[in-house]
Amino acid sequence: MSRIAYVAGQYLPHRLAAVHIEDRGYQFADGVYEVIAVVDGHLVDKERHLTRLRRSLAELRIARPMPDSALTIVIREVVRRNGVDTGIVYLQVTRGAAPREHAFPKAGKPTLVVTSRRTRPPDPKLGQEGIAVITIPDIRWQRCDIKSVALVANVLGKQQAKEAGAYEAWQVDRDGRITEGTSTNAWIVTADNTVVTRAADTAILNGVTRAAVFEILDRAGYRLVERPFTVAEAKAAREAFLTSTTADLLPVVRIDGAPVGEGRPGRLSQELRAAYFAHAAAAP
Ligand code: PDD
């Protein structure tokens, strides 16, 4: 089946789908995106993703390409045309095409691209054995709360992790505190079983998976504290894990080569991982 993309008003085969060379997404990374999981044909946490998209657009003063009701129809149609049962939807909105000049163009309309593809379920070994992370300086801009397509620092960080044989790089701010991964949120569990993750300030993306895990913790009666934590605290934590739409929830068992806890996925991480899968599977 050839893949179909929605590009600026049309459903097109990928090889014909294109945006203008003067699209501001291409020239300035002047745009935002979302990645939504598809599980058994259902969109996981769609409302949260669309709410965050609206926020990102508003922060950058980019017009909404269409109302959420119409956008939902486009998303579902792209999923259907690509025969995606389990996979992802990628959605990108830029300020549109205009002659290159930094300030906003007077006229012009946003470019919307929606694609979807099947993905293999993540390797179960990652969940069973846990993953390694490295720590790197956070060299990104000061508005990481906006889900901007300007991801070159994240790209460099993820590549560094890969070359070090790790799954992810946890970025560290100037005060030695972890902000987040290059495409995931970072969490630890302290000796007294308190779950800790950085508050959703402008230094991190307010993850949709993060919000779902908050609900799970609340329902199960676990203690959650939103505060920054240092690299040293993470290394000494009882458990650590990361979350994202594409990684789900993965136990972190090594940080910069040193074991976290007993160097095995912790009990709470495993429990939360199972609860998150149940949440995703229950998507309407
Ligand atoms: N990344 N932090 C960053 C920097 C991210 O890019 C992401 C998501 C997250 C987790 O957010 P969520 O739980 O809403 O997926 C945190 C997506 C998956 C990506 O860029 O592919």
Side-chain angles (χ1 to χ4, degrees), residues 33-36 49 52 88 90 140 144 146-148 151 154 168 171 180-186 203-211 243-248 276:
Y33 75 106
E34 283 294 327
V35 180
I36 307 176
H49 284 285
R52 187 172 63 188
I88 57 157
Y90 178 79
R140 300 174 303 162
C144 295
I146 300 170
K147 200 161 173 56
S148 151
L151 291 173
N154 309 56
E168 178 61 297
Q171 301 165 103
E180 62 179 339
T182 64
S183 64
T184 56
N185 288 119
I204 69 161
L205 184 75
N206 189 356
V208 163
T209 319
R210 177 180 181 276
T243 55
S244 83
T245 298
T246 46
D248 304 312
Y276 179 72

Side-chain angles (χ1 to χ4, degrees), residues 129-175:
E129 296 174 10
I131 50 116
V133 303
I134 57 168
T135 60
I136 59 170
D138 195 335
I139 58 168
R140 300 174 303 162
W141 73 327
Q142 291 172 22
R143 289 302 309 272
C144 295
D145 56 311
I146 300 170
K147 200 161 173 56
S148 151
V149 294
L151 291 173
V152 70
N154 309 56
V155 165
L156 293 176
K158 188 74 98 186
Q159 182 63 22
Q160 199 177 330
K162 194 173 167 187
E163 287 171 9
Y167 180 92
E168 178 61 297
W170 278 4
Q171 301 165 103
V172 181
D173 68 16
R174 287 186 186 160
D175 302 318

Side-chain angles (χ1 to χ4, degrees), residues 10-267:
Q10 287 181 291
Y11 295 95
L12 295 170
H14 268 222
R15 72 194 148 76
L16 300 176
V19 293
H20 197 276
I21 55 166
E22 286 193 309
D23 192 277
R24 294 177 62 93
Y26 180 57
Q27 296 200 327
F28 295 114
D30 189 2
V32 300
Y33 75 106
E34 283 294 327
V35 180
I36 307 176
V38 184
V39 173
D40 294 331
H42 300 283
L43 299 165
V44 180
D45 290 322
K46 172 178 71 75
E47 291 311 318
R48 281 194 176 118
H49 284 285
L50 295 186
T51 300
R52 187 172 63 188
L53 177 67
R54 282 200 308 275
R55 179 182 183 277
S56 295
L57 288 170
E59 290 298 315
L60 297 188
R61 294 157 61 194
I62 296 176
R64 285 166 67 189
M66 57 179 69
D68 281 358
S69 52
L71 187 52
T72 299
I73 291 170
V74 170
I75 292 170
R76 291 201 195 284
E77 185 60 13
V78 172
V79 169
R80 191 187 69 76
R81 288 192 190 216
N82 287 282
V84 175
D85 185 39
T86 295
I88 57 157
V89 171
Y90 178 79
L91 205 154
Q92 178 172 320
V93 185
T94 72
R95 204 181 303 278
R100 188 179 182 280
E101 190 189 312
H102 287 67
F104 299 170
K106 278 204 190 70
K109 58 181 184 26
T111 307
L112 167 65
V113 170
V114 182
T115 60
S116 181
R117 68 179 165 89
R118 280 183 232 163
T119 53
R120 264 179 244 205
D123 184 352
K125 261 175 62 178
L126 297 179
Q128 287 152 11
E129 296 174 10
I131 50 116
V133 303
I134 57 168
T135 60
I136 59 170
D138 195 335
I139 58 168
R140 300 174 303 162
W141 73 327
Q142 291 172 22
R143 289 302 309 272
C144 295
D145 56 311
I146 300 170
K147 200 161 173 56
S148 151
V149 294
L151 291 173
V152 70
N154 309 56
V155 165
L156 293 176
K158 188 74 98 186
Q159 182 63 22
Q160 199 177 330
K162 194 173 167 187
E163 287 171 9
Y167 180 92
E168 178 61 297
W170 278 4
Q171 301 165 103
V172 181
D173 68 16
R174 287 186 186 160
D175 302 318
R177 302 174 313 183
I178 289 162
T179 53
E180 62 179 339
T182 64
S183 64
T184 56
N185 288 119
W187 309 66
I188 57 169
V189 181
T190 63
D192 70 352
N193 242 19
T194 301
V195 179
V196 180
T197 195
R198 191 172 178 121
D201 53 18
T202 53
I204 69 161
L205 184 75
N206 189 356
V208 163
T209 319
R210 177 180 181 276
V213 171
F214 276 20
E215 275 181 8
I216 292 167
L217 289 169
D218 188 43
R219 235 180 296 126
Y222 285 108
R223 258 192 319 277
L224 165 74
V225 178
E226 289 180 82
R227 64 163 173 83
F229 53 87
T230 63
V231 176
E233 192 180 1
K235 286 180 177 168
R238 174 183 282 184
E239 299 183 28
F241 61 92
L242 55 75
T243 55
S244 83
T245 298
T246 46
D248 304 312
L249 187 155
L250 288 175
V252 172
V253 296
R254 273 195 315 284
I255 301 176
D256 293 332
V260 177
E262 291 164 5
R264 290 197 302 268
R267 192 188 51 78

